[in-house]
Amino acid sequence: MLKVVIIGAVAAGMSTAAKLKRLMKDDVDIVVFEQGDDVSFAACGIPYYVSGKIADASELRERRVEDFKKSGIDVRTGHRVTAVNTADKTVSVTVLATGAAVTEKYDKLVVASGARVRKIPPLDADCENLHVVRTVDDGIRLRKALEEKASHHVVVVGAGYIGLEVAEACAKQGKAVLIVEFAERILPVMDPEATDQLHAELERHRVQIRTGSKVVELKTEGKRVVGVVVENAHGRDLVPAEVVINSAGIIPNAEFIDVRKTVNGAIIVNDRMETSVPDVYAAGDCSVMTSAITGEHQYAPLGTNANKQGRVIAHAIAGGPVPRIRLLGSSVIRLFGLDAAKVGLSEIDAQRLNLDYEANYITGNAYPSYWGKEKVSVKLVYDRKTRKMYGAQVVGQGVVGARANYFAIAITAGMTVDDFGYLDLAYSPPFSGVWDVTLIAANTAK
C-alpha cells in the first residue's frame, strides 16, 4: 500500500487527500498533519464573517476531521511538522498538546503548509488587540474585539486583497477605519485606472487611506495598543487605535524542508506540482507556479489555485493523465458598491517585462440605458503585433466578475482582441447591452 503524508489540512492539503482517496481507494494510506485545530475551512469567507454578512463562524468550516476519518483519511490536528528528511523519507512532528516528538515515514510527501502573516517590527509585538486574519479563530477574535464598545478606531496595515476586505468589514461594523499602505497605491497588482476607483469608493464610505506610509511604532498601555505612529515623507503623527490588524503580506511556511525555492521562500513546482526532490509535491500558499502567459514564476496564493493544485497532485500520484493548470493570476474584489477584477497581465506588468504592447481603456454601460445606469470600465493589454491579449481589468457596478472571466477564457485560448470583439455572447437587457462593454473594449482597440 502506498503511504502518502500531507502537511497541512486546509484547501490544498485536503483537496489532495479527498481526490487521492477517491482515485486510489484502499490502495493508499493517507496521513495529514495540521498544526491548527480547523481543517478544510473557507479562509476567503473570514472578512465576511467579521462584517456580519456571515452570522455563524461554523459556516466557514466546510468539513470536520470526523468527516475525513470516515472516508479513511487519518487527519491529526495539533501536530506541527518541524523537519523533513527527504533521503530517509521521514517527517519529524511535534504533538503540540504534549510536546511529544513523532517520526512518520512516507512514500510520497505533499507539502501544503500554507503561509503566515509577515510580522516585521513593530507588528511583531505581543499585544492583545494586534490581530492577523488567516484562520477561523482569527476571525472570531477580531469580530469579538470589534463588538467591544471601547473599540472605535481600527488601523489596518496593508492594502492588498485581505487588508481591503477586512477594512470594509470593520467599516460595516461602524468603526473608524484607517488603512496604512507602504506602496503609493492600494492594491498595486492592478493598474491606477482600477485602484483609483477603489480608493474613491473606500473614501466615500469614510475609510481613511494613507499610501506611501508605514507604521513605525505602537503606543501601548500594558498589553494593549492604544495608538500607532504613522510615518511618511511629510513626517510622523500619532493615530488612535483600539484595534490594529496586520495585513502586510505573507510568508510561505516552508522552512522545514530543503527543496528549490524562490526568493520569498515559496517552493517551486512544475506542472505536476513536483518539487526539485523526487516524491515530494507542494501546493497552495507555500508554493509558486508558472505563469501561462510569461513562463515566469508567479506567486498566486488564492484558494482557487490551491484546490486545483491539490487535485493535480492526486492525479500525479495515482497515475494516468494529469490536468494542466493555466495560471493567469485571476482575482476579483468587492468593496462596498464597487467590484474590480484582474486576469493576466496589467499594464505595469507589461512595462516591467518590456513587452511590445498596447493598452485600451474605456468606460461603458453595464446594461442598456433604459435598464440601468451602472457603469463598467474595461482595460485591455495586448500584443502590439499579434494582437493577442495579455490581460484585462474590469471595474464598476453590475456584472464585473463574470465579464473578467470572459477574458480569462479568451487569454487561455490565445484569442486576439479582434477575435474577441465578435464573440457571440448571450444577450438580454437584464445582463448587458446588445454590444457588451467587453466587446466594445476589444473593438475599439487600435
Side-chain angles (χ1 to χ4, degrees):
M1 179 181 291
L2 186 71
K3 174 69 171 291
V4 177
V5 170
I6 300 174
I7 304 171
V10 191
M14 299 320 296
S15 176
T16 303
K19 184 63 177 178
L20 185 58
K21 195 64 179 178
R22 288 195 294 270
L23 290 172
M24 297 189 68
K25 298 181 173 60
D26 294 336
D27 292 330
V28 64
D29 176 21
I30 303 174
V31 177
V32 184
F33 293 115
E34 168 58 46
Q35 68 176 357
D37 297 321
D38 285 323
V39 304
S40 194
F41 61 86
C44 297
I46 295 171
Y48 305 101
Y49 168 74
V50 173
S51 73
K53 174 71 174 177
I54 298 171
D56 192 333
S58 64
E59 297 180 53
L60 299 173
R61 297 182 172 106
E62 298 174 336
R63 294 183 70 184
R64 302 172 303 165
V65 171
E66 292 76 15
D67 298 327
F68 288 106
K69 287 190 174 181
K70 286 178 183 177
S71 64
I73 299 169
D74 182 4
V75 181
R76 305 177 192 178
T77 57
H79 285 61
R80 177 181 294 151
V81 172
T82 57
V84 175
N85 187 324
T86 55
D88 294 342
K89 288 193 169 183
T90 60
V91 297
S92 299
V93 187
T94 298
V95 182
L96 298 180
T98 64
V102 177
T103 299
E104 192 85 17
K105 287 194 67 69
Y106 67 84
D107 296 311
K108 304 284 186 180
L109 177 67
V110 180
V111 183
S113 47
R116 63 189 184 277
V117 175
R118 182 183 293 111
K119 295 183 179 180
I120 58 176
L123 300 175
D124 57 346
D126 181 17
C127 295
E128 296 171 355
N129 55 341
L130 176 56
H131 297 263
V132 298
V133 180
R134 291 293 293 175
T135 67
V136 175
D137 284 343
D138 291 338
I140 292 171
R141 284 191 290 269
L142 177 55
R143 181 158 147 180
K144 184 177 180 181
L146 294 173
E147 290 170 352
E148 296 177 4
K149 291 184 178 180
S151 297
H152 181 63
H153 299 92
V154 177
V155 174
V156 179
V157 184
Y161 288 102
I162 295 299
L164 295 179
E165 289 172 349
V166 171
E168 179 204 36
C170 294
K172 286 185 173 180
Q173 290 282 20
K175 306 304 176 182
V177 181
L178 168 66
I179 299 172
V180 180
E181 167 59 43
F182 184 72
E184 295 302 322
R185 293 185 295 113
I186 64 171
L187 206 62
V189 295
M190 293 190 183
D191 286 330
E193 291 91 340
T195 58
D196 287 353
Q197 292 189 56
L198 292 171
H199 191 123
E201 181 71 3
L202 288 164
E203 290 189 331
R204 192 169 72 82
H205 287 83
R206 299 183 180 180
V207 175
Q208 297 183 48
I209 304 168
R210 297 194 190 184
T211 55
S213 303
K214 60 181 179 179
V215 172
V216 294
E217 185 180 352
L218 303 180
K219 294 294 184 181
T220 59
E221 292 181 1
K223 299 282 283 185
R224 294 187 65 82
V225 179
V226 295
V228 301
V229 177
V230 180
E231 180 182 77
N232 57 29
H234 304 292
R236 295 185 174 190
D237 65 317
L238 177 62
V239 177
E242 290 81 46
V243 175
V244 179
I245 303 166
N246 177 8
S247 188
I250 57 176
I251 301 172
N253 293 323
E255 296 89 345
F256 54 82
I257 187 167
D258 185 13
V259 292
R260 187 169 171 240
K261 302 171 186 174
T262 57
V263 174
N264 77 334
I267 298 171
I268 296 171
V269 297
N270 61 17
D271 287 347
R272 295 169 59 88
M273 305 304 130
E274 296 166 326
T275 71
S276 58
V277 175
D279 297 324
V280 178
Y281 302 78
D285 294 2
C286 66
S287 69
V288 63
M289 294 191 291
T290 301
S291 166
I293 302 173
T294 67
E296 288 188 318
H297 290 137
Q298 183 173 354
Y299 188 51
L302 296 170
T304 50
N305 298 325
N307 278 283
K308 294 186 189 83
Q309 286 179 284
R311 291 175 70 91
V312 167
I313 291 173
H315 282 284
I317 292 175
V322 176
R324 183 186 178 194
I325 300 174
R326 298 273 295 170
L327 182 67
L328 302 181
S330 303
S331 59
V332 65
I333 188 171
R334 170 170 292 171
L335 297 177
F336 299 104
L338 195 70
D339 297 348
K342 172 182 179 285
V343 298
L345 305 184
S346 66
E347 184 172 8
I348 293 172
D349 293 330
Q351 291 171 349
R352 175 180 59 82
L353 294 165
N354 293 317
L355 298 179
D356 186 18
Y357 76 93
E358 288 280 359
N360 187 40
Y361 176 77
I362 69 160
T363 298
N365 295 321
Y367 311 104
S369 58
Y370 57 80
W371 187 269
K373 304 302 181 185
E374 293 90 343
K375 296 291 184 181
V376 174
S377 299
V378 179
K379 183 174 185 179
L380 300 183
V381 180
Y382 53 96
D383 186 273
R384 189 188 305 272
K385 294 177 181 176
T386 68
R387 296 178 66 78
K388 284 189 176 182
M389 287 186 282
Y390 287 133
Q393 290 165 74
V394 184
V395 58
Q397 297 172 314
V399 180
V400 169
R403 284 185 163 109
N405 286 335
Y406 299 164
F407 292 113
I409 296 168
I411 294 168
T412 301
M415 293 179 68
T416 67
V417 289
D418 308 296
D419 296 330
F420 187 95
Y422 281 84
L423 276 178
D424 185 14
L425 301 179
Y427 158 70
S428 182
F431 304 98
S432 73
V434 65
W435 282 98
D436 188 79
V437 63
T438 56
L439 302 182
I440 297 171
N443 285 326
T444 55
K446 295 178 182 179

